[in-house]
Amino acid sequence: MSIRLGYQIPNFTYPGTPADIVPTVLAQAREAEASGFDAVLVMDHFYQLPGLGEPSEPMLEAYTLLAAIAGATESIQLSTLVTGNTYRNPAMLAKTVTTLDLVSAGRAVLAIGAGWFELEHQQMGYEFGTFTDRFERLDEALQIIEPMLRGGHPELDGTWYQAHSTLNEPRVRDTLPIMLGGGGEKKTFGLAARYADHLNIICNASELPRKLDALAARCEEAGRDRGSIETSFLAFVMVDPDGDKARQMQRDYMVKTGVDVDALDSDGWAQATDRMFVGTPDDVAEQIQRRVLDPGVDGVIINLVPNGHIPGTIETAAAALKPLLG
């Protein structure tokens, strides 16, 4: 597994009708593949997230969509960013991602996290529980999922889940990668040290040096070589050959999501934009290098919320970022 340059699609609010959504997504996936991205990733949510839009905006079920993307592409890896553990029985999730791996001829990645969007749980009838509950559930789920992906037959009589010599056939490989996603320095990073091939670190970019130190500590506690876990960072990218246009996109995006940009002082602006990389392609490349790669993160997963659906935008971003990532 290597996700050095990933493309996330978190937004399905496009011009046109609902019938136009999936073709627009598939066009982005094909452009990402042709431009040299390693993976295309979609969110595992049922409502749009507060930082991206209103709950009522379009949102597609992740694994059905990934299967459609598999049929429209040939080589790019396919993943969520990330699967909410609370939404599926873990044995069923192992079966689902294994089937995606068969459908895509060995291109699936299982990315998973504890789950956090309470509104979805409340309105759709999923048990939310406490923070501690969700991480206990994730730990138990991984005890079932990891052996199922490797050809084992898990046996667990847990607090949250049970598995009894569970089968998972057929598989095309026993090396389907597991990615953990999150920013928790103890619980998430501890589970990553035990189970993951890859950790997608979700945090402000300014926090990355501390997060990487925390991951190294969790690996040491688990007796694992820190170098055996790949890392990536999710970056909100707003890019245009006209840097002023990109900066206006940023401002418009922030206003749309409820930020009073005129009320922000310099510290407030820095905090509100800590996950954003904005400007011309050269500007964005410089920011990614300085703020993400120089601190020691292996790769970057970007989204292009305002304009990723416009043909050529993904290719423009890839041309700027690929030279940084080899």
Side-chain angles (χ1 to χ4, degrees), residues 133-209:
D133 290 342
R134 294 194 300 280
F135 274 93
E136 288 178 352
R137 292 176 67 162
L138 179 57
D139 192 343
E140 287 190 11
L142 286 164
Q143 293 177 52
I144 295 170
I145 294 167
E146 194 270 345
M148 287 183 67
L149 298 183
R150 309 288 177 249
H153 307 292
E155 192 71 44
L156 179 69
D157 188 10
T159 302
W160 301 98
Y161 302 118
Q162 289 75 46
H164 303 291
S165 300
T166 313
L167 303 174
N168 187 28
E169 299 293 342
R171 301 178 315 283
V172 292
R173 55 177 173 159
D174 293 336
T175 55
L176 195 157
I178 296 174
M179 177 198 298
L180 266 286
E185 297 175 12
K186 293 185 177 180
K187 293 182 181 293
T188 298
F189 290 12
L191 290 172
R194 290 166 55 196
Y195 295 106
D197 302 286
H198 188 112
L199 174 65
N200 179 253
I201 304 171
I202 300 174
C203 67
N204 286 338
S206 59
E207 299 175 309
L208 283 171

Side-chain angles (χ1 to χ4, degrees), residues 292-304:
V292 178
L293 302 179
D294 285 350
V297 179
D298 298 316
V300 62
I301 297 170
I302 71 165
N303 58 41
L304 297 162

Side-chain angles (χ1 to χ4, degrees), residues 197-321:
D197 302 286
H198 188 112
L199 174 65
N200 179 253
I201 304 171
I202 300 174
C203 67
N204 286 338
S206 59
E207 299 175 309
L208 283 171
R210 188 184 81 240
K211 298 294 184 183
L212 291 169
D213 287 344
L215 176 59
R218 301 295 86 75
C219 287
E220 184 175 1
E221 291 163 4
R224 181 170 179 180
D225 175 11
R226 160 65 184 85
S228 68
I229 300 181
E230 294 182 356
T231 56
S232 60
F233 175 77
L234 175 61
F236 285 67
V237 170
M238 298 170 199
V239 64
D240 191 274
D242 181 340
D244 289 337
K245 186 175 179 180
R247 286 180 281 274
Q248 186 62 50
M249 278 193 286
Q250 177 188 34
R251 184 181 181 88
D252 293 345
Y253 169 82
M254 294 172 71
V255 169
K256 178 181 182 290
T257 55
V259 179
D260 185 354
V261 294
D262 294 325
L264 296 175
D265 60 17
S266 58
D267 289 342
W269 179 265
Q271 177 69 19
T273 61
D274 206 341
R275 301 186 189 190
M276 298 180 186
F277 301 78
V278 181
T280 67
D282 287 345
D283 292 336
V284 169
E286 184 278 328
Q287 294 164 29
I288 293 286
Q289 181 67 58
R290 172 172 49 84
R291 297 169 58 197
V292 178
L293 302 179
D294 285 350
V297 179
D298 298 316
V300 62
I301 297 170
I302 71 165
N303 58 41
L304 297 162
V305 175
N307 61 345
H309 63 285
I310 298 174
T313 304
I314 297 167
E315 182 180 6
T316 295
L321 298 177

Side-chain angles (χ1 to χ4, degrees), residues 71-93:
T73 57
E74 296 180 356
S75 61
I76 199 164
Q77 294 180 93
L78 307 168
S79 183
T80 59
L81 192 66
V82 293
T83 302
N85 177 61
T86 48
Y87 299 137
R88 296 170 187 83
N89 169 278
M92 180 65 194
L93 176 57

Side-chain angles (χ1 to χ4, degrees), residues 101-115:
D101 208 41
L102 268 76
V103 168
S104 64
R107 293 187 278 136
V109 174
L110 173 63
I112 191 167

